[in-house]
Amino acid sequence: MPERKRVAVLADSDTRWKWGALTARRLVPDHQLTGFLLRGRATPTARQLGEVGVRADRLAEVTCAEFLAEIERERYDVVVLALVGGAVQAVLHGARALWPAPARRPVLVTGYVGVVYEKLADGLLLRHGADLVLANSRHDAQRFRAVYEGVGADAAAVTETALPFLGGAPYEPAGSRAHTVVFAVQPSVPDSRADRAYLLERAAGHARKHPDREVLIKLRSKPGEHTTHLEEQPYQRLAERIPGGLPPNCRLVYGNMGEVLDGTDLLVTVSSTAALESLHRSIPTAILTDLGIREALGNHHFLGSGCLASWDQLDSGLLPTGDPVWLAAQGVLPAPGPDRGTDGAADRAGDGATGWAGGGAAGADAYAVARAKVAGLLAATRLPSPAPYYTRTTAPGYLPGILARHHLAPDGTPLPGAVRPAAGESRLRRRLRGHLREVARGAYRHGVQRVAPVIRRLGEL
């Protein structure tokens, strides 16, 4: 029996952990998964990890330098970097310092957790140097290659796949159950208190206009927790300020998005990746235009989708459906089902990451090419040293600062003291350091969500 491949996933938030772990499952179906959480402001809490529902054989919190020491010490076959661009770049340069010549090293994989609507060139160039840079659709793959080729960098790593968490049963109308509207909120879109309060009031207003419907405000995190993006104005606190409170048929909910969508009849959002999950399942989906269609909101990504709508239109009964051509280009074809002539039961494996039809004709395996690439790299005796586009020659005023933020020298080696030896440290000392770290995180989050908004408002007086 072949030995199970060892896969390490390094993530810096709850959403990226979900993407990284499910991507690992797609790329290497039979594997031993070790999870690492990059220490920082968005390190997920135990509750957030539990809500995501993807478990690892082992899970540890590390710094970038500690992770590099880990992959040098332990032999991993594949490393999935589910991180922001700067952190990916730091790990790639650290790996280059570990393996400066062709060697037996892990296959390095990275990508994006959802819709890519801002900082395209910056984010992509910071990910260049990985063996595979995953694109969630044909549209993204074309854009990614254009960026790399535009700077004269090798674009061979760009590989078309799909979002690994697309799945779930195809939509079935409510029937006898209550019609359920889900407003999927985002931590930082929109960012102003007035805009967020407006959207919340419109959701509550929709519930008042339709007392036969249930309106759920789907939240990403609880106050004090952080996700991929900073949330200065939590909807929980805004709801407390609504005169008379939320109507009885409107409430705040948490939970796994896939499970929430199981009972959804209309998904409403500004630009959340949840819209792609909803469209994949053929659930009526609305991308809000109330605040305009703007790059800053990300809803411009959905031009041509057939889903752009306002709360006024939704109040009047509109149920938007996705345009098939747009869905195909975005790798979000409707889920297989009995009425579509395909077998919707195929590949139903774990955490809503079910068999899906993305990146081609219905029923196609969107990860087949990526899996083949990984298998080919694993079969190689040696792999070349990682070769990121950014070097001390191409970006001498940019790269050193990125590496320094992760306690790496300009050549990618850890700075003195970056890796703390575990040997000889007492359990009490480790617990004390962990407690102090949590206190510092709590103070930071309090400053973001409580102090910063007050200072900003005072500055506007």
Side-chain angles (χ1 to χ4, degrees):
M1 185 174 180
E3 184 180 354
R4 296 173 70 199
K5 299 299 183 184
R6 296 188 66 192
V7 179
V9 173
L10 177 62
D12 57 9
S13 70
D14 57 339
T15 308
R16 291 201 181 95
W17 163 248
K18 179 180 180 179
W19 177 87
L22 292 179
T23 294
R25 183 181 296 173
R26 296 291 194 185
L27 294 175
V28 190
D30 184 24
H31 66 263
Q32 178 184 341
L33 177 62
T34 303
F36 296 93
L37 302 175
L38 186 65
R39 191 170 297 150
R41 64 159 186 81
T43 305
T45 64
R47 188 206 68 81
Q48 287 174 295
L49 291 175
E51 185 174 286
V52 166
V54 186
R55 291 175 176 80
D57 298 301
R58 181 167 68 89
L59 192 64
E61 186 177 318
V62 295
T63 64
C64 180
E66 289 169 346
F67 180 73
L68 291 168
E70 167 75 14
I71 63 174
E72 179 185 27
R73 181 175 58 251
E74 299 288 336
R75 187 175 179 278
Y76 291 98
D77 298 290
V78 178
V79 169
V80 179
L81 302 175
L83 308 163
V84 295
V88 172
Q89 185 74 180
V91 175
L92 292 175
H93 276 273
R96 181 179 176 84
L98 292 177
W99 297 288
R104 187 80 175 175
R105 63 166 179 82
V107 176
L108 302 172
V109 180
T110 191
Y112 286 88
V113 72
V115 175
V116 184
Y117 66 84
E118 62 179 352
K119 300 180 180 178
L120 177 65
D122 189 26
L124 275 173
L125 293 174
L126 289 171
R127 288 169 171 82
H128 187 268
D131 298 302
L132 274 77
V133 178
L134 304 183
N136 296 325
S137 67
R138 182 174 68 248
H139 174 70
D140 279 352
Q142 292 169 346
R143 294 195 297 160
F144 291 6
R145 293 189 186 102
V147 169
Y148 287 160
E149 291 167 356
V151 298
D154 185 5
V158 175
T159 307
E160 181 185 339
T161 55
L163 288 170
F165 42 78
L166 293 182
Y171 171 64
E172 294 182 4
S176 59
R177 64 178 171 81
H179 187 98
T180 301
V181 178
V182 174
F183 175 35
V185 307
Q186 297 162 262
S188 60
V189 177
D191 59 357
S192 79
R193 179 180 177 181
D195 287 345
R196 293 169 79 81
Y198 165 82
L199 292 179
L200 181 61
E201 178 54 47
R202 290 305 305 259
H206 186 82
R208 296 187 192 99
K209 287 183 173 69
H210 297 276
D212 58 327
R213 294 185 175 185
E214 185 175 21
V215 178
L216 307 180
I217 313 298
K218 171 62 175 71
L219 303 170
R220 282 287 310 281
S221 61
K222 292 186 176 182
E225 295 177 340
H226 274 181
T227 58
T228 304
H229 302 284
L230 291 171
E231 184 171 27
E232 291 189 7
Q233 302 289 345
Y235 279 94
Q236 296 93 322
R237 296 199 176 109
L238 296 175
E240 295 171 356
R241 298 185 176 97
I242 291 181
L246 295 174
N249 60 327
C250 181
R251 57 192 175 91
L252 308 179
V253 299
Y254 300 94
N256 180 285
M257 179 54 77
E259 295 174 0
V260 173
L261 289 175
D262 287 341
T264 299
D265 298 289
L266 172 62
L267 188 282
V268 182
T269 187
V270 176
S271 59
S272 171
T273 301
L276 301 180
E277 297 184 62
S278 176
L279 287 166
H280 172 67
R281 298 172 66 165
S282 299
I283 298 170
T285 302
I287 303 299
L288 291 174
T289 62
D290 290 58
L291 303 176
I293 301 172
R294 297 182 282 146
E295 283 79 358
L297 298 176
N299 53 359
H300 71 292
H301 178 84
F302 293 87
L303 290 169
S305 68
C307 297
L308 297 169
S310 69
W311 272 116
D312 282 350
Q313 293 171 303
L314 300 179
D315 289 345
S316 298
L318 178 66
L319 294 174
T321 56
D323 177 79
V325 175
W326 187 90
L327 294 176
Q330 299 297 323
V332 191
L333 292 175
D339 59 338
R340 298 184 177 93
T342 56
D343 180 8
D347 191 27
R348 303 269 178 192
D351 191 59
T354 60
W356 83 290
D365 182 354
Y367 276 79
V369 173
R371 256 195 314 274
K373 279 190 174 183
V374 170
L377 292 168
L378 289 174
T381 305
R382 296 183 300 173
L383 295 179
S385 178
Y389 170 75
Y390 283 141
T391 64
R392 284 182 285 178
T393 299
T394 59
Y398 185 41
L399 178 64
I402 292 172
L403 300 182
R405 282 197 291 274
H406 294 277
H407 305 287
L408 300 181
D411 63 355
T413 57
L415 293 170
V419 180
R420 189 186 303 273
E425 186 177 46
S426 68
R427 182 179 300 177
L428 176 62
R429 189 176 182 84
R430 285 198 301 272
R431 286 182 176 177
L432 178 61
R433 183 178 292 111
H435 178 69
L436 291 174
R437 189 180 299 126
E438 287 303 314
V439 170
R441 261 188 212 136
Y444 174 80
R445 290 164 178 162
H446 177 80
V448 168
Q449 294 184 337
R450 294 286 193 179
V451 180
V454 172
I455 293 175
R456 192 173 293 112
R457 286 197 297 272
L458 290 174
E460 294 172 353
L461 292 178

